[in-house]
């Protein structure tokens, strides 16, 4: 199967969008790869089956070598090449034409407002609307450049989504367009603003998804919804991105964070997702639904969710046909999806090398990390060569309960003694796992050194589908 590659090539951006995911304190700094490094990755991605590719950032168009990179992708053998952008750099006359000559086939353009006030408010850049309007005029003049329009649904534009859709439809009247409406994810700046009390976190019930879908359907517009539980989409549940992803089993290959044979669902990752028993257990579409993010539950609860009762097989059939699959396989695929676990409580994936422990008084596991001591790296306990830390699951863990504290102190004593005795890092980890504090049970797993944490802006591969590429 051909796959779609995603390659991050730029960090810098000229906007500071109020919901920016990239402003995540857990990520280390991303360094733009050189032109040659990009070329090398293109060769590897093509060798692993990539035939379509999307370049992402940051703002990709800040790279002066972008035309060369696009041309190189075509030379390597990629048959469909696209880029993501906020559009503000595309306003220069002739720029789009030069890129299409280099081999550009499609563009993903972020448009979050329909007028100057809203657009510039969200982007926190006073020239965004004007430059995007000029860029859209340039795109429209091509008459053929397929354009995916990304719209993040946030507090600022929740009441103007139809206005945004109308603006885009009218402005890009001569090119094929597909909308991606994504409900804001509580990460990065969006999470910081909610935690700091600057803004109340957006709720699903604050958005009229049905009215938006009706407008788009009346305009014969193509569209997806991202990060929206199916119970809020009514008859438009077929427009759920995650429904299409799980139905076709669309997955991407992560070259850096996972091993050579490990995959993630590109739109249906279970990490950080919940399907609360109180509202989702009886839902007929549970195997197809993206659920809610843990950060959303912490901010808003889950009382707005309600079970659906329609036959999910029809949704799977529709999604398979829409994504280029075989609708006759719907029953088999639904049976497979029903076997996948849907956690009612949040259990975060264990970082590689972390030591996981369970306790009868704790609903979710507790992860301890033991790493080499480097510089002034903070931790719960420091020895001459090692640092002992733990991953907080909630604000309460910043002041651990007595049984949590007992586990950490026990691990710290073991680490101190073994460091003084000259033990290796792996010996220390093994000893901590073998002798937890009273009441705790170690969850055994092969202990391996954790790789250096890298920003999640990497090259990935996912199966090529007609919907994903706009064909």
């Amino acid at each position: 199967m051909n796959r779609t590659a995603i390659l991050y090539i730029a960090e810098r951006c000229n906007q500071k969008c109020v919901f920016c995911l990239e402003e995540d304190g857990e990520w280390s700094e991303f360094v733009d790869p050189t032109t040659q490094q990009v070329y090398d990755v293109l060769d590897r991605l093509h060798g692993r089956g990539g035939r379509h590719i999307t370049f992402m950032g940051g703002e990709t168009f800040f790279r002066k070598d972008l035309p060369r990179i696009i041309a190189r992708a075509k030379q390597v053998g990629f048959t469909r090449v696209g880029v993501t952008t906020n559009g503000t750099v595309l306003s220069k006359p002739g720029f789009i034409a030069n890129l299409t000559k280099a081999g550009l086939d499609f563009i993903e353009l972020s448009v979050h407002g329909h007028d100057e006030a809203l657009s510039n408010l969200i982007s926190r850049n006073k020239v965004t609307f004007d430059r995007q309007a000029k860029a859209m005029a340039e795109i429209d003049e091509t008459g053929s450049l397929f354009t995916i329009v990304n719209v993040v649904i946030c507090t600022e534009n929740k009441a103007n989504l139809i206005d945004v859709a109308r603006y885009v439809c009218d402005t890009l009247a001569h090119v094929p367009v597909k909308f991606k409406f994504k409900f804001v994810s509580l990460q990065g700046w969006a999470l910081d603003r909610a935690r700091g009390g600057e803004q109340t976190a957006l709720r699903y019930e604050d958005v009229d998804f049905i009215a938006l879908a009706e407008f788009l359907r009346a305009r014969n517009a193509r569209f997806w919804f991202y990060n929206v539980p199916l119970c809020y989409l009514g008859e438009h549940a077929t427009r759920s991105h995650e429904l299409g992803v799980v139905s076709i089993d669309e997955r991407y290959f992560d070259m850096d964070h996972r091993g050579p044979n490990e995959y993630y669902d590109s739109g249906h990752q279970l990490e950080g997702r919940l399907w609360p028993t109180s509202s989702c257990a009886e839902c007929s579409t549970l195997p197809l639904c993206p659920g809610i993010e843990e950060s959303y539950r912490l901010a808003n609860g889950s009382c707005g969710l309600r079970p659906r009762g329609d036959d999910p097989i029809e949704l799977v059939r529709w999604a398979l046909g829409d994504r280029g699959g075989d609708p006759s396989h719907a029953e088999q695929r639904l049976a497979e999806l029903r076997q996948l676990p849907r956690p009612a409580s949040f259990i975060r994936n264990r970082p590689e090398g972390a030591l996981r422990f369970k306790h009868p008084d704790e609903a979710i596991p507790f992860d301890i990390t033991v790493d080499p001591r480097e510089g002034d790296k903070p931790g719960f306990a420091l020895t001459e060569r090692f640092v002992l830390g733990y991953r907080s699951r909630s604000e309460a863990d910043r002041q651990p309960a007595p049984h949590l504290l007992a586990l950490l102190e026990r691990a710290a004593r073991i680490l101190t003694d073994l460091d003084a005795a000259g033990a290796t890092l792996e010996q220390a980890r093994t000893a901590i796992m073998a002798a937890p504090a009273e009441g705790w049970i170690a969850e055994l797993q092969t202990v391996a050194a954790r790789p250096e944490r890298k920003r999640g802006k990497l090259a990935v591969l996912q199966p090529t589908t007609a919907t994903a590429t706009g064909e």
Side-chain angles (χ1 to χ4, degrees), residues 428-440:
R429 287 173 169 166
T430 300
I432 291 172
M433 287 287 283
E438 183 178 355
W440 288 93

Side-chain angles (χ1 to χ4, degrees), residues 231-252:
C231 55
Y232 280 92
L233 298 181
E235 66 176 285
H236 302 286
T238 54
R239 300 299 180 179
S240 165
H241 164 71
E242 290 85 0
L243 167 66
V245 165
V246 298
S247 296
I248 202 67
D249 196 19
E250 178 178 297
R251 292 180 285 182
Y252 71 71

Side-chain angles (χ1 to χ4, degrees), residues 121-136:
L121 171 68
I122 292 174
S123 66
R124 294 195 279 201
N125 186 320
K126 63 182 180 181
V127 301
T128 292
F129 180 77
D130 179 63
R131 291 185 178 178
Q132 280 187 342
K134 292 177 181 177
M136 292 167 73

